[in-house]
Amino acid sequence: RLVVDGPFAESKEAIGGYLVLNVETIDEAIAIAQSSPGLAYGGSIEVRPVAEECPLDARARELAREEQLAHA
């Protein structure tokens, strides 16, 4: 007899969530990450920068300006 807990792929990692920090430097973000209590229990944290602006929004504004100029 086979017992399974659902149609789920096996996962070796778990994502517990994410935080978005508004900091001046990546070093400041790393210092904040290093204070996480989960690190003492084998957890890990990935620190990475995010875009200042959504590229799709920037492109949409650019296209809107071009369309305005074409109809002016």
Side-chain angles (χ1 to χ4, degrees), residues 5-72:
D5 64 351
F8 311 110
E10 182 179 349
S11 175
K12 301 281 186 206
E13 299 176 355
I15 299 173
Y18 62 92
L19 297 173
V20 177
L21 304 174
N22 186 8
V23 296
E24 295 295 321
T25 66
I26 192 86
D27 292 329
E28 186 179 354
I30 291 170
I32 292 169
Q34 288 173 332
S35 69
S36 173
L39 295 174
Y41 299 97
S44 64
I45 298 174
E46 182 176 340
V47 177
R48 65 168 74 176
V50 295
E52 291 288 327
E53 176 179 38
C54 174
L56 296 175
D57 287 341
R59 181 66 177 142
R61 281 195 306 280
E62 182 182 317
L63 290 172
R65 279 193 300 268
E66 289 174 5
E67 188 172 325
Q68 285 177 345
L69 291 174
H71 295 294

